[in-house]
Amino acid sequence: MWPEGQLVRDGAFHVPLSCQPAANNRVTPELLQAAPARYEKEQAPSSIARTKITYVVGSLRDGGTERQVLELIRHLDRRQFEPSLIAMEDANLDRVNGLVEASYIMGIPEAGNSRWVGRGLAVAGAVRRVSRYLRDQQTDIVHAFLPGPSIVGSAAARLAGVSLIIGSRRSLASQYRAASRVAGWADTAAFHLAHFNLGNSLAVSREMVEIGRCPAHQLGMVRNGVDIRGFPLNFPSNLRPQLGIA
């Protein structure tokens, strides 16, 4: 059942999340604290190895999710984190030039994620290749976005023994799972393979539990936001009447 009043209650990471927007969302720091330190050495703080985080996406084509991933990468504290990227396709990969330490292309189409029966061999091959890449990179955290990348990324990360796996959804499960029962099964499996899952709205998060059977104690919500720094604040005072806005 959907937990009343909170999306996460006494979960694996003990992170209570209110359904109301909060000034400080504790999902990320708590998850990072839960990830085992792979490089515990008696060294000066400045020489401690950074946490390696790999983002998994379909591509870097223009879209809300893709832009969010780019913003996440741009604003990571490079003193603590070493980001890399895995994409299903190489579209617009130049957008991460200078932003990531490494990138990898699965070589399978981003579109057609509802046809999992016909794509079974290609997907299985991608899981093996991505798993090998994650082991070679010694990735500490995998954060996958959208159903297709989350299905492949979570399976590959489990095979590679990644310490912390996060899956994210940005649309209603009733919509993106409607075209294929097999895709729905794979999506549910990905929810359970991940250590934690994130939705971007109450409706999306609710359907992740009720339709996708995502464990409620492994679910959090981070609402979409707007970076107001991209909008000028010195509009003339008569602009609203000129545009017919009361």
Side-chain angles (χ1 to χ4, degrees):
M1 296 295 293
W2 180 261
E4 292 296 332
Q6 293 181 337
L7 289 176
V8 181
R9 189 191 304 273
D10 296 329
F13 300 101
H14 307 287
V15 187
L17 293 181
S18 171
C19 291
Q20 300 301 320
N24 296 310
N25 193 302
R26 299 181 58 207
V27 173
T28 300
E30 292 291 345
L31 287 174
L32 295 177
Q33 290 172 15
R38 185 175 285 183
Y39 308 100
E40 293 183 354
K41 298 180 181 179
E42 294 182 0
Q43 305 178 50
S46 59
S47 63
I48 294 178
R50 295 177 295 170
T51 299
K52 294 185 176 182
I53 179 168
T54 299
Y55 294 101
V56 185
V57 297
S59 72
L60 290 179
R61 290 187 173 90
D62 284 325
T65 298
E66 294 77 7
R67 290 179 180 274
Q68 184 184 48
V69 173
L70 287 172
E71 288 301 305
L72 282 172
I73 294 174
R74 286 193 183 101
H75 291 89
L76 277 181
D77 186 347
R78 294 306 196 276
R79 296 169 298 180
Q80 299 185 53
F81 301 101
E82 180 180 325
S84 61
L85 181 81
I86 296 175
M88 300 176 78
E89 297 182 11
D90 63 357
N92 296 338
L93 193 63
D94 59 305
R95 291 181 172 179
V96 291
N97 287 348
L99 295 178
V100 296
E101 304 292 334
S103 60
Y104 181 80
I105 304 302
M106 298 184 201
I108 58 176
E110 178 182 13
N113 287 327
S114 62
R115 300 189 295 272
W116 285 93
V117 174
R119 304 180 67 193
L121 290 177
V123 171
V127 169
R128 289 194 299 270
R129 294 192 300 273
V130 171
S131 177
R132 189 180 308 117
Y133 173 83
L134 293 172
R135 283 195 298 269
D136 291 343
Q137 290 291 313
Q138 296 184 312
T139 294
D140 299 298
I141 302 172
V142 163
H143 189 176
F145 290 80
L146 303 180
S150 293
I151 291 169
V152 176
S154 60
R158 280 287 185 175
L159 289 174
V162 173
S163 299
L164 179 61
I165 306 167
I166 306 170
S168 296
R169 304 297 188 276
R170 296 291 184 269
S171 56
L172 297 172
S174 59
Q175 301 301 309
Y176 72 75
R177 292 167 61 119
S180 170
R181 182 174 297 178
V182 174
W185 292 338
D187 190 48
T188 295
F191 285 137
H192 289 266
L193 287 172
H195 297 109
F196 205 76
N197 297 280
L198 290 171
N200 65 339
S201 71
L202 183 58
V204 167
S205 301
R206 187 184 299 275
E207 289 203 358
M208 288 169 69
V209 173
E210 296 178 350
I211 296 176
R213 298 191 296 281
C214 173
H217 67 278
Q218 294 174 209
L219 174 65
M221 179 176 65
V222 178
R223 286 181 168 89
N224 289 337
V226 176
D227 185 356
I228 62 173
R229 292 174 299 179
F231 299 90
L233 301 178
N234 57 345
F235 285 114
S237 59
N238 62 345
L239 183 61
R240 292 174 66 88
Q242 290 177 15
L243 295 176
I245 302 174

